[in-house]
Amino acid sequence: MRRFLLRRLAAIPLTLLAVSLLVFAATELVPGDVARTILGREAGEEAVARLREQLGLDRPLAERYTGWLSGFFTGEWGDSHTLGVPVRDLVLGRLADSLILGGLAFALLVPVAVTLGLVAGVNHDRPVDRVISVTGLALGAIPEFVTGVVLLVVFAVRLRWFPASAQAPDGATILTRLGHLALPVISLVLLCTGYVARHVRASTVAAVESPYVRAAELRGLGRAQVVRRHVLRNSTVPATSALGVQLQFLLGGLVAVELLFNYPGIGALLLQSAIDKDLPTLQATAMVLGVLYMSIILAADLAYRLLDPRVRLGGAAA
Amino acid sequence: MSAVTAGAGGVRRRVAGRDFRVALVAGGALVLAWAVVAAFWPQLVPYDPLRHDPLSRFLPPGPEHWLGTDQFGRDTFSRMLAGARPVLQVAPLATALAVVAGTAVGLVAGTFGGLVDEIVMRLLDAVVVFPAIIAAVLFVALAGRSVTVMVLVVAGSFVPIVARSVRAATLVEREKAYVEAARLRGERPWSLMRREIFPNVGTTVLVEATSRFGDAIFAAATLSFLGLGQPPGSPDWGASVSDNRVWLQLAPWTILAPALAIASLVVGIALVADSLRGRWEAS
Amino acid sequence: MTGRATGGPRLPAPREPVTRDVDLTRPRRPGQGENPHGPGAWSEENSHGPGSRSGGSGESGEGGPAGRGLRVTGLSVSYRTARGEVPAVTNVSFDVAPGETYGIVGESGCGKTTLSRALGRHLPPGGSITGGGVTVDGVEVPALSPAELRRWRTTSLAVVHQEAGSSLDPTMRIGAQLAEVLRLQGRGRAEARREAVALLARVRLPDPAAIARRYPHQLSGGQQQRVVIAAALATRPRLLVLDEPTTGLDATVQHEILDLLWALRAETDAAVVLISHDLALVGRLCERVGVLYAGRMVEEGPAAEVMASPRHPYTSALLASVPRLGVSRHARELAAIPGRPPVPGEEVGGCAFAPRCALADDLCRKRTPALEPAPGGRRARCHHTDRLLATPGSPFEEPSDAPGAPFAEPLDSSDSTGSSGSTGSPLEPTGPADGTDAPSGVPLLEVRGLTRKYGRTIVVDGVDLTIGRAEVLGLVGESGSGKTTLARAVAGLGPRGTGTIALHGRELAATVGRRDARDRRRVQMVFQNPETSLNPSHTVRAILTRAVRGLGGSRTAAELAARASLDDHLLDARPDRLSGGQKQRAAIARAFAGDPELVVCDEPVSALDVSVQAGVLRLLSEQQRLTGTSYLFISHDLAVVGYLADRIAVMYRGRIVEEGPASRVLAGPHHPYTASLVAASRARLDDPESIRLPAGEPAEEPVKESAEERVGSARAGGITRESEPARARPSGWASRIRWERAAGRDGVTKRKDANERKGVNVWEGVNVREGATGCGFAARCPLRIEGLCDSVDPPVAHTGDGHTVRCHLDTGDLPDTGDLPRTAVPVTAPGDRGTRHDPPTRDAKAPGDAQHTPATQHARHTHDTRDAQDSRDTQDTRDKEDGSP
């Protein structure tokens, strides 16, 4: 366990380095001149050259990379080209907003998906299971902006239960804010539930059909007792890793959902800065998201290992 | 045990068999229908999907325009049919590319093992850790919009996924006795890979292909929605949803139609992929 | 003669007072102090008979309708499948009195597991009891309501399955799992916890309090099985179902578990049903036995009599196919049962066994025989029992010198030389007898100081081996002993390491990739698992042709198949259409494609049913005799090795602890480890009173190494060898999910794997750490010399005839099989069915005398000395084996 942890921790800087290289390369290989893009066609050649120098674009590639990387780790993220504000405040502020949205979705996702997966798994191959499985499968395949659109049309346009925008007016109460977040959160949950539920279902089926459940039933435990005492843990633990994957998915889904619901999150920022070719913002956003991704992977792996005694304590799997 | 499992397996097979057929037929019909539409939409549409008609803007669904019209008076139904083509252009191409490249990488890494495997897998790890959508946003935004870029971006983000699956399957096969028997008679790695291993990871490749196809539609639609796909104004589904987003209250049908079109296509593929996966993996 | 054979291979019934004292005192010794019931429990049962707990209706035999014990009447079970209702068990009836043990024997697919599950009314989905009844102490089990059924299970039923590890919840501590059972019985929380520890002590687990705090995966297989037995005891059952309770355990551990079960059986006074594919085991442990075939009971009766003089040809054939300890192929060939059992639901007109039966005639094929009662409480379902009894020996027997009829061209070494020479193969003339580039005094294979490691774990530790020309070297050892790694090293597979492997005195490259074509042709291998031995994408013909081409052989695929008795029409089939036995035949044919000089056989029969195993062993034997090829033959089963091998090497924890001519190794004097193997193996065949394991605490196999360090991963998709399992798992998180999905396949594969593991050694786990010295067996050895054995590497002692033992003991002090502790009281109740033959007098020094063990005497009396005058050509029938599509 300790060795695993050390290895994973040691891998983080390496992965970060790879991510930074990718981000930097992607942004550097942009066709066309950034300075020209910023200033527009009409700007004079001199102005462009000045801006290039100002942005450090005239320095060698390696120097710019190391400069950028060290800047990123020391918190010197520069200013946004288009918005003119410090990138750090911008990105971290948007990140906080996105984390609220994503966190709410995650908090809703886990109980819903686990319950559905358990119900489907315990009743596997019965109608309940088929309904849950097929619905989950279908919803998981539909892009989140599509479910979001349907939710909008039904709940915001027809029924008018929820506002169409995720952005609450300033000074709104928590309840109002939650109301604004309801539709985006639901579309994210719908996206991910199917997949997680599927995993929980699979491990539930495995547990239900396992010799130890059979043995427990033969010792006279009732169905409910068996599920509570033996199936629950064995079916949720393996699903932790599925949750990790879905968290990443959720994070990716933020981009489209934030766009659809006009939510000022980090996903929308990523998209906007990319379209605007706002390189400092884009690089910082991508790096922050990369770090977030890695943390999720690590957390999911760690959770899995902590929850499963076979992995936690070592020894052979019987 | 044989009797027990044979019996139990029989039951499960029967139930699964029925599910298999229903899901496969329903999903297959949806996919096929959209494929036909994508190929022949010019013959099928009642109106030119691109023609502006200022006199009939925002018409609600009715006998004249089945699914209404949008802000320029374009027929939503025609646009929906026409929108099948761009998606069904990008997705199969991207899938094919990703599956071919990923299979090759996975097979080589798995068969040769050792340093080759280590290097390839570390590279893929670095790519996978990089969120696909972010990469897509980066590349499309910076490299410009075109079908080629979209295909490359979608394919590129799927290659590691396919490669990992194929490599895992390869490793399982490589450990089996028949591969060792082939090594004992002196088969070289390339021959091992081609003759012994490849035919037996075929199932994995097919499963990957169908799953990735669904994901590719998902990705292509999302990229269009984010404004990173087709040029604005084209009848592309994702772009239509994005373009008409502002008219949500006024003309919800303009975004509902392409949204439901996407949904029906991806669900169709998901049903096919899932039933095939169930069938192949059970065998 | 019948009398002699009758008494032999069984334990006397506990309800018989004479023998009872023996039973009860014997197993008591080790765990006496820890027994929570104290000695009183025993003496009470002793004096009052089996009824002590329930108040005693006394000795109820196969009592009245509402009598005590288990009563199964006309039980039928079927499964709903796509083909409609498929019967798995048809009209089975038997009674088991309290305290009695009833054995159910049969091969895979005969319905025995379905039967066992029907007894607890716990059939898998789709299965239902379609007729008949199960009554336990007067309780009609099928009639119980769900709540009553649960209640009945808590109070009256206990089931012990094979694969104990998997019947324990992996996420729950041992103590908690036992306490759960006890809580169901109504104990308080603290009381349950206390009692759980007491139960662990009762199943003779060392340091029960510590065990209670562990998780299942931290215990060894044997310990896990003890925990499961402890859980069964917690119920104080009226019906105890033992479903293959020792399958998959190492021989010595098996022996101890059986010992334990035996002791506890007497204690519980439950009706015990033992289900097993292992005839010997059932014969040893049970008073009565029922033989299942195709879901029907084909024979039933007192175990000893059924074993000694079967009244159904199937029983007779099964018995003839079991290898007996110490019976070499030179003395008696094994007889395989031709064909295959009907698949459940397959309509067989008349007797289900008729298509495979040597005695079958038109009557058998037309009319289904009834289960006719016979004298002595026996029943048999055969039209021709009289003929069977009149046939001397089993109709499936044949003398050992039977020519290899199926071979189109009976070939010996000279022939093979000729044929390959004539082809002018560029590689070189082939044939084991020639083509050597070394003086003839040099052995074929010489292994010196071979060491193989996985990480820092030494799996093979400085092994020396020689194999002569046309010699079969049998390598025995338990799982984890390193025998598979050794075999693979010889074949050039697996990790590299130090030491040399020389063929004809010339050193071979360590890995197959570096061996030249000639060396590759000379050393070939037959693998353990038939399911993965053949490429599922190619036809048998393509597989064999490819092998011929790759190895520079001269025969066609059809010739190879014919030599392996593989039907022509199977040549164009893909492996999924072949049965396990046919797959293994094809794999053997492939190994012989280039006229090899050495074939490494890595547990080639351990995954097969006994009747199929017999056919494959015979094929190996015939191929060896005809081609003069040498074998390195690996098995965990001493009887199987003894059947095939000329010389035997015993491996323990990476070292060869004993080696010598087969007869010498089997007869002794032994290395203490070999002694325990022989004892365990013989006890399976013989009565347990005769030979006991060396006394001492339970010889546990060591708990496997930690997850990071262990080499084999049983989870990595079923059968995983010790080789490079870390690579079998893709690294990284994301692929793991995908991979787990692929490997786990929603649990379906897991279950299949579990089935595959039956009788298969999954574990070649490894337990020697670098830098360890001393005898690896010291910790388990009853004869160890403290301060010496565990710290100093033992010397090699020569006892003559090339027999070497690696032990600190003086040669004279080495255990002889005859020297092993014997039971205190030889049972000699005259005329009783507990009668047994006299212990054979034996001069351990005389080679070949190993064949005169009680087991073989039994075998000889029933089979050997008779003429195999069976008019049918057994080869013909064997040709048809597995033949029906």
Side-chain angles (χ1 to χ4, degrees):
Chain A
M1 188 66 200
R2 184 179 297 158
R3 208 201 274 174
F4 159 79
L5 205 67
L6 285 176
R7 219 168 37 211
R8 294 308 294 261
L9 287 175
I12 287 183
L14 281 177
T15 323
L16 264 183
L17 213 63
V19 170
S20 74
L21 266 172
L22 255 156
V23 169
F24 190 75
T27 47
E28 280 303 320
L29 297 177
V30 178
D33 189 336
V34 178
R36 168 69 65 191
T37 317
I38 292 169
L39 294 176
R41 281 180 204 288
E42 293 77 25
E45 212 43 60
E46 270 166 57
V48 172
R50 216 171 29 247
L51 185 62
R52 287 178 60 86
E53 194 188 330
Q54 199 186 324
L55 295 175
L57 293 175
D58 52 345
R59 286 180 295 157
L61 205 64
E63 197 184 315
R64 267 187 290 148
Y65 173 67
T66 47
W68 168 72
L69 194 62
S70 62
F72 180 80
F73 285 113
T74 51
E76 302 286 324
W77 297 2
D79 290 337
S80 160
H81 289 168
T82 46
L83 301 176
V85 296
V87 170
R88 197 169 57 153
D89 302 345
L90 180 68
V91 171
L92 293 184
R94 297 290 198 100
L95 177 67
D97 282 343
S98 282
L99 286 182
I100 292 175
L101 183 58
L104 278 176
F106 185 65
L108 200 59
L109 165 70
V110 174
V112 169
V114 168
T115 311
L116 287 177
L118 265 179
V119 169
V122 169
N123 301 296
H124 66 104
D125 291 344
R126 296 209 193 118
V128 191
D129 171 33
R130 261 166 257 164
V131 168
I132 292 176
S133 295
V134 172
T135 314
L137 177 76
L139 286 174
I142 300 173
E144 60 280 8
F145 74 91
V146 173
T147 38
V149 159
V150 176
L151 288 175
L152 274 175
V153 170
V154 174
F155 294 104
V157 178
R158 289 267 163 250
L159 300 173
R160 299 190 175 280
W161 288 359
F162 297 108
S165 164
Q167 207 173 0
D170 286 336
T173 61
I174 291 190
L175 212 62
T176 322
R177 281 175 194 281
L178 283 180
H180 279 273
L181 287 174
L183 291 183
V185 164
I186 291 172
S187 55
L188 283 174
V189 169
L190 288 181
L191 174 70
C192 302
T193 300
Y195 185 84
V196 178
R198 223 171 140 73
H199 271 260
V200 176
R201 175 192 180 273
S203 43
T204 304
V205 171
V208 165
E209 293 184 340
S210 72
Y212 55 82
V213 162
R214 182 178 63 185
E217 283 180 349
L218 282 172
R219 285 177 205 137
L221 262 74
R223 197 74 184 168
Q225 282 170 302
V226 167
V227 169
R228 189 161 42 83
R229 297 189 56 97
H230 296 288
V231 174
L232 193 61
R233 205 170 348 178
N234 282 295
S235 59
T236 45
V237 168
T240 344
S241 43
L243 263 182
V245 173
Q246 280 314 291
L247 258 177
Q248 294 183 299
F249 221 77
L250 210 143
L251 216 55
L254 281 178
V255 180
V257 165
E258 286 174 0
L259 181 69
L260 181 68
F261 291 95
N262 297 316
Y263 189 76
I266 197 163
L269 182 65
L270 176 82
L271 190 65
Q272 199 52 50
S273 59
I275 289 168
D276 295 344
K277 300 209 173 15
D278 180 359
L279 288 194
T281 314
L282 183 56
Q283 288 169 335
T285 312
M287 278 299 280
V288 164
L289 283 174
V291 171
L292 201 60
Y293 261 52
M294 260 179 340
S295 325
I296 289 170
I297 295 165
L298 188 65
D301 236 359
L302 219 62
Y304 174 68
R305 274 157 193 272
L306 282 176
L307 287 173
D308 190 335
R310 278 167 298 191
V311 188
R312 185 175 67 228
L313 300 172
Chain B
M1 58 227 41
S2 36
V4 174
T5 42
V11 175
R12 200 155 300 115
R13 253 197 303 285
R14 189 183 59 156
V15 173
R18 202 172 52 211
D19 272 6
F20 170 77
R21 276 192 301 277
V22 171
L24 189 68
V25 168
L30 272 174
V31 177
L32 199 73
W34 279 119
V36 168
V37 168
F40 302 109
W41 69 261
Q43 283 82 50
L44 298 173
V45 291
Y47 298 91
D48 179 353
L50 296 176
R51 200 179 59 109
H52 290 213
D53 183 359
L55 294 179
S56 47
R57 297 172 63 215
F58 293 130
L59 285 182
E64 195 74 3
H65 293 278
W66 292 351
L67 294 178
T69 59
D70 65 5
Q71 52 165 331
F72 300 114
R74 295 176 297 196
D75 181 50
T76 309
F77 179 67
S78 301
R79 288 181 68 77
M80 186 178 85
L81 296 191
R85 189 175 281 181
V87 167
L88 285 174
Q89 250 171 356
V90 170
L93 268 176
T95 309
L97 211 62
V99 168
V100 169
T103 303
V105 170
L107 263 178
V108 168
T111 309
F112 286 84
L115 198 61
V116 178
D117 185 37
E118 198 64 31
I119 292 170
V120 169
M121 289 325 284
R122 289 293 81 77
L123 273 178
L124 292 184
D125 273 349
V127 176
V128 162
V129 95
F130 199 74
I133 184 126
I134 296 174
V137 168
L138 278 176
F139 280 99
V140 178
L142 302 172
R145 305 172 176 187
S146 76
V147 172
T148 325
V149 170
M150 204 141 109
V151 166
L152 287 178
V153 161
V154 173
S157 62
F158 290 167
V159 168
I161 303 175
V162 178
R164 280 161 170 275
S165 301
V166 173
R167 172 180 173 271
T170 304
L171 288 177
V172 170
E173 292 303 317
R174 196 184 70 167
E175 296 296 314
K176 289 190 178 165
Y178 70 86
V179 176
E180 305 203 307
R183 283 169 64 199
L184 283 182
R185 65 170 184 259
E187 301 269 2
R188 299 286 135 190
W190 283 108
S191 153
L192 276 186
M193 191 176 97
R194 212 169 39 80
R195 268 195 56 89
E196 304 292 334
I197 295 176
F198 180 62
N200 297 309
V201 299
T203 306
T204 308
V205 173
L206 288 174
V207 168
E208 276 298 317
T210 48
S211 305
R212 277 334 115 217
F213 185 49
D215 291 356
I217 303 258
F218 188 118
T222 304
L223 287 179
S224 309
F225 171 74
L226 296 178
L228 306 171
Q230 305 281 319
S234 74
D236 184 276
W237 291 338
S240 299
V241 173
S242 179
D243 292 345
N244 295 315
R245 201 153 43 97
V246 282
W247 312 114
L248 173 71
Q249 302 286 348
L250 191 62
W253 55 88
T254 55
I255 60 171
L256 208 51
L260 292 179
I262 296 172
S264 63
L265 179 57
V266 289
V267 167
I269 294 173
L271 288 179
V272 173
D274 190 58
S275 41
L276 289 182
R277 182 165 51 223
R279 168 58 53 101
W280 285 329
E281 289 189 347
S283 65
Chain C
M1 191 168 81
T2 316
R4 283 167 64 101
T6 307
R10 290 174 22 263
L11 269 183
R15 58 196 157 120
E16 284 170 291
V18 183
T19 56
R20 231 183 136 76
D21 292 335
V22 181
D23 304 334
L24 296 181
T25 49
R26 186 177 55 83
R28 286 282 297 149
R29 257 180 284 122
Q32 191 147 26
E34 294 138 357
N35 190 327
H37 296 265
W42 293 90
S43 52
E44 185 193 6
E45 289 223 26
N46 271 339
S47 46
H48 300 304
S52 57
R53 183 156 70 87
S54 41
S57 51
E59 305 263 358
S60 69
E62 285 103 60
R68 299 183 52 229
L70 168 71
R71 160 154 263 200
V72 177
T73 42
L75 184 70
S76 295
V77 182
S78 63
Y79 290 101
R80 275 193 321 276
T81 71
R83 287 167 291 147
E85 290 273 316
V86 168
V89 168
T90 311
N91 197 12
V92 167
S93 307
F94 58 94
D95 298 309
V96 188
E100 190 186 28
T101 305
Y102 189 93
I104 304 269
V105 205
E107 294 181 278
S108 355
C110 70
K112 58 186 191 302
T113 302
T114 298
L115 180 58
S116 86
R117 296 191 67 163
L119 293 181
R121 215 180 112 189
H122 195 263
L123 289 163
S128 56
I129 296 177
T130 49
V134 177
T135 315
V136 179
D137 280 4
V139 178
E140 275 282 348
V141 178
L144 297 173
S145 72
E148 288 168 342
L149 180 66
R150 275 204 300 279
R151 182 88 207 111
W152 173 75
R153 283 174 178 166
T154 30
T155 54
S156 306
L157 175 73
V159 184
V160 174
H161 294 286
Q162 68 170 336
E163 302 252 343
S166 56
S167 28
L168 295 170
D169 185 337
T171 57
M172 226 170 144
R173 290 177 200 277
I174 297 295
Q177 303 202 32
L178 284 178
E180 177 181 67
V181 188
L182 292 161
R183 296 266 289 156
L184 279 176
Q185 324 272 328
R187 311 288 205 291
R189 199 176 288 271
E191 194 190 350
R193 209 170 304 141
R194 256 197 324 278
E195 214 170 306
V197 175
L199 276 173
L200 291 173
R202 207 161 142 214
V203 293
R204 304 185 211 156
L205 278 166
D207 198 355
I211 297 263
R213 284 191 299 273
R214 294 208 193 147
Y215 285 98
H217 73 275
Q218 295 173 303
L219 305 183
S220 69
Q223 288 173 328
Q224 287 172 342
Q225 192 61 289
R226 282 167 198 272
V227 172
V228 172
I229 293 169
L233 286 178
T235 318
R236 294 189 67 77
R238 302 303 306 139
L239 170 62
L240 175 58
V241 179
L242 306 172
D243 187 357
E244 305 267 10
T246 60
T247 304
L249 297 174
D250 282 321
T252 50
V253 181
Q254 242 179 42
H255 188 55
E256 289 161 12
I257 294 291
L258 290 178
D259 226 35
L260 176 69
L261 282 174
W262 177 248
L264 298 173
R265 183 194 77 148
E267 187 182 344
T268 57
D269 184 40
V272 181
V273 176
L274 171 67
I275 286 151
S276 180
H277 66 283
D278 188 337
L279 281 165
L281 174 78
V282 167
R284 174 201 160 190
L285 272 184
C286 301
E287 278 90 43
R288 286 187 306 129
V289 56
V291 181
L292 277 188
Y293 185 77
R296 287 169 193 271
M297 187 84 86
V298 293
E299 171 157 18
E300 192 207 34
E305 276 128 65
V306 171
M307 298 289 162
S309 60
R311 296 181 72 88
H312 192 283
Y314 176 63
T315 320
S316 168
L318 260 188
L319 283 166
S321 64
V322 183
R324 313 250 160 192
L325 186 66
V327 180
S328 156
R329 65 198 167 111
H330 304 302
R332 180 179 74 98
E333 281 288 14
L334 287 177
I337 308 178
R340 55 164 182 81
V343 181
E346 183 179 335
E347 265 319 310
V348 182
C351 173
F353 188 62
R356 308 173 72 187
C357 182
L359 298 175
D361 57 16
D362 282 345
L363 176 65
C364 300
R365 282 181 277 272
K366 271 195 205 109
R367 228 181 59 217
T368 311
L371 195 59
E372 300 283 357
R378 301 184 59 175
R379 294 188 294 167
R381 190 186 289 279
C382 181
H383 292 303
H384 301 306
T385 299
D386 45 343
R387 271 202 244 163
L388 178 72
L389 294 174
T391 315
S394 160
F396 301 90
E397 287 282 322
E398 63 188 287
S400 63
D401 56 348
F407 299 98
E409 28 146 9
L411 60 158
D412 52 30
S413 50
S414 63
D415 177 75
S416 79
T417 317
S419 61
S420 55
S422 62
T423 60
S425 154
L427 289 171
E428 56 129 40
T430 61
D434 71 343
T436 60
D437 43 12
S440 55
V442 175
L444 173 72
L445 182 86
E446 201 160 7
V447 173
R448 287 286 164 263
L450 194 77
T451 298
R452 290 290 183 265
K453 297 177 194 175
Y454 286 106
R456 290 191 301 147
T457 314
I458 300 171
V459 190
V460 176
D461 188 4
V463 163
D464 297 336
L465 266 187
T466 49
I467 302 179
R469 275 158 223 203
E471 183 181 62
V472 177
L473 176 69
L475 185 62
V476 201
E478 63 192 13
S479 46
S481 60
K483 57 190 190 302
T484 290
T485 306
L486 173 58
R488 290 167 53 78
V490 168
L493 300 170
R496 265 172 277 184
T498 56
T500 60
I501 303 164
L503 199 67
H504 296 303
R506 204 171 46 81
E507 193 174 333
L508 276 180
T511 56
V512 68
R514 287 157 193 265
R515 294 186 184 172
D516 61 21
R518 188 177 57 170
D519 286 340
R520 281 200 305 266
R521 179 189 64 72
R522 284 174 167 170
V523 183
Q524 281 293 304
M525 185 159 174
V526 177
F527 296 88
Q528 174 180 8
N529 184 354
E531 301 309 316
T532 60
S533 279
L534 306 177
N535 190 332
S537 299
H538 300 317
T539 61
V540 175
R541 188 189 302 279
I543 290 168
L544 293 180
T545 310
R546 188 93 185 154
V548 170
R549 208 176 306 149
L551 296 170
S554 53
R555 287 181 188 76
T556 65
E559 282 165 1
L560 286 173
R563 294 173 99 199
S565 313
L566 203 60
D567 273 2
D568 263 357
H569 71 267
L570 291 173
L571 272 173
D572 293 308
R574 281 180 218 285
D576 59 350
R577 285 199 30 229
L578 270 58
S579 70
Q582 289 167 336
K583 283 178 189 154
Q584 213 57 321
R585 283 172 187 278
I588 291 168
R590 178 180 61 193
F592 278 89
D595 296 311
E597 293 169 35
L598 174 68
V599 173
V600 178
C601 305
D602 180 16
E603 301 247 19
V605 294
S606 62
L608 304 174
D609 257 324
V610 63
S611 65
V612 182
Q613 163 183 305
V616 172
L617 285 176
R618 270 196 60 157
L619 173 66
L620 284 170
S621 165
E622 281 159 5
Q623 290 275 39
Q624 198 278 331
R625 190 175 299 137
L626 293 167
T627 62
T629 306
S630 299
Y631 288 162
L632 172 55
F633 182 89
I634 302 192
S635 179
H636 63 278
D637 187 335
L638 205 56
V640 167
V641 165
Y643 167 77
L644 213 58
D646 303 313
R647 281 193 310 130
I648 294 180
V650 182
M651 198 162 178
Y652 189 79
R653 294 222 198 176
R655 291 184 187 177
I656 304 288
V657 295
E658 179 169 356
E659 193 201 338
S663 50
R664 289 294 300 267
V665 172
L666 293 178
H670 309 283
H671 186 279
Y673 173 63
T674 318
S676 73
L677 273 184
V678 170
S681 185
R682 188 171 301 165
R684 280 171 60 244
L685 290 160
D686 224 333
D687 59 336
E689 305 299 318
S690 64
I691 296 152
R692 292 254 311 136
L693 259 191
E697 69 260 35
E700 270 303 338
E701 76 270 53
V703 180
K704 312 314 198 239
E705 305 272 320
S706 78
E708 304 261 333
E709 291 153 348
R710 79 204 145 94
V711 184
S713 158
R715 284 206 298 166
I719 301 201
T720 309
R721 250 188 347 269
E722 71 251 60
S723 73
E724 308 167 18
R727 296 178 169 224
R729 285 169 171 225
S731 53
W733 54 275
S735 58
R736 200 189 57 228
I737 299 150
R738 198 165 293 281
W739 172 83
E740 272 173 0
R741 212 196 291 155
R745 280 172 202 162
D746 296 19
V748 176
T749 317
K750 275 175 204 147
R751 201 178 45 238
K752 205 174 91 201
D753 289 342
N755 287 338
E756 270 175 18
R757 282 207 295 270
K758 176 190 156 194
V760 179
N761 267 321
V762 176
W763 257 109
E764 279 265 345
V766 181
N767 21 48
V768 186
R769 302 285 291 155
E770 228 164 28
T773 57
C775 174
F777 191 59
R780 288 168 69 177
C781 183
L783 302 169
R784 69 173 164 265
I785 305 162
E786 299 291 349
L788 179 65
C789 290
D790 47 8
S791 54
V792 181
D793 282 346
V796 176
H798 297 265
T799 67
D801 283 347
H803 181 207
T804 57
V805 177
R806 204 165 172 175
C807 185
H808 283 295
L809 294 175
D810 291 335
T811 333
D813 293 340
L814 288 174
D816 198 320
T817 325
D819 290 339
L820 288 168
R822 290 189 152 267
T823 358
V825 192
V827 186
T828 47
D832 191 286
R833 56 193 194 84
T835 315
R836 39 193 275 148
H837 44 215
D838 301 326
T841 51
R842 191 151 23 95
D843 176 8
K845 294 282 183 260
D849 223 344
Q851 293 164 15
H852 293 271
T853 59
T856 46
Q857 280 203 348
H858 170 220
R860 290 189 156 211
H861 280 298
T862 44
H863 311 293
D864 253 4
T865 52
R866 297 166 178 169
D867 285 349
Q869 63 172 107
D870 171 26
S871 54
R872 290 177 77 96
D873 185 350
T874 336
Q875 289 298 351
D876 275 352
T877 52
R878 204 162 58 70
D879 253 356
K880 281 184 280 182
E881 183 197 346
D882 307 22
S884 29

